[in-house]
Amino acid sequence: MILENIIPILIVSILMAYLYSASKKAPKRNKDNDIILQLPKLYLWVGIIVLIAGMGLFIFASFFANGTDKTLASISGIIAIITGLILFSKAYIAHIKITDTGIVETTMFGKVNEMKWKEIKDFSFGKVSSELKIISSDNTIKAHMHLVGFQDLVSILEEKTGKSRLDKGIPDGVKK
């Protein structure tokens, strides 16, 4: 009974430690030497696994399940497929590019938001969402704490805006 409680906590703790350490790694750079921030590959692989499991569950429900099991398995399969697609697209499509002129966010739907350095009015860190929210007068860019290179983004924002990470609600535990 103790193992039932300890193992999930241990697994989640290990995963969170991995994701936190991944955010401290150096980000990728493109040919123009722009910084590219993306979620760790764990998000991509978990998304693929959940997507495949969801499709398997939906196929099982369509061909082999009966009655209430068919409905429950179909709904569970659809939920898993949607969750897998979200994780996959957040890791594969979505990214943030830091250039000399500003920040460019590409969302999981491929929408591009651009913000020049001089347009940034404020930024803050949501402790519950673990997201850094960068705000201009007409735009908002959100950067999750698990992005590889998150620390670089925070440091560049401090440099460009003159505002301290502590003043903006980014805890000491998120320092370089």
Side-chain angles (χ1 to χ4, degrees), residues 6-173:
I6 293 175
I7 289 177
I9 292 170
L10 187 62
I11 290 171
V12 169
S13 297
I14 290 169
L15 287 174
M16 293 307 290
Y18 166 75
L19 292 171
Y20 178 68
S21 69
S23 72
K24 290 182 173 184
K25 290 182 181 176
K28 294 179 188 175
R29 291 187 178 266
N30 65 11
K31 62 183 178 187
D32 297 328
N33 207 29
D34 297 330
I35 297 172
I36 308 295
L37 306 175
Q38 280 189 300
L39 288 170
K41 296 290 184 207
L42 179 66
Y43 277 83
L44 180 75
W45 290 110
V46 169
I48 290 170
I49 291 167
V50 171
L51 181 61
I52 290 170
M55 287 191 283
L57 190 56
F58 191 76
I59 290 169
F60 167 78
S62 300
F63 296 109
F64 303 109
N66 295 319
T68 336
D69 292 342
K70 187 173 198 153
T71 305
L72 186 59
S74 295
I75 291 170
S76 299
I78 290 170
I79 289 170
I81 289 169
I82 292 169
T83 303
L85 284 172
I86 289 171
L87 287 171
F88 177 80
S89 62
K90 285 286 249 180
Y92 189 73
I93 300 169
H95 65 276
I96 293 177
K97 180 169 56 171
I98 302 172
T99 67
D100 293 335
T101 58
I103 302 173
V104 181
E105 174 191 40
T106 303
T107 68
M108 68 181 194
F109 300 111
K111 181 182 174 196
V112 177
N113 298 322
E114 188 171 352
M115 190 181 295
K116 305 287 184 203
W117 293 119
K118 63 182 179 195
E119 296 174 352
I120 296 175
K121 291 193 176 249
D122 200 11
F123 67 93
S124 63
F125 184 76
K127 291 178 180 155
V128 175
S129 66
S130 298
E131 287 183 328
L132 180 67
K133 188 189 268 187
I134 307 163
I135 303 165
S136 74
S137 59
D138 61 344
N139 200 0
T140 300
I141 292 177
K142 292 181 181 179
H144 196 276
M145 182 178 158
H146 292 162
L147 288 169
V148 175
F150 180 79
Q151 305 305 323
D152 293 274
L153 173 61
V154 173
S155 297
I156 291 169
L157 279 171
E158 283 183 307
E159 176 188 318
K160 297 287 186 181
T161 64
K163 299 176 183 179
S164 163
R165 70 176 71 219
L166 294 176
D167 293 340
K168 298 317 246 158
I170 302 173
D172 281 335

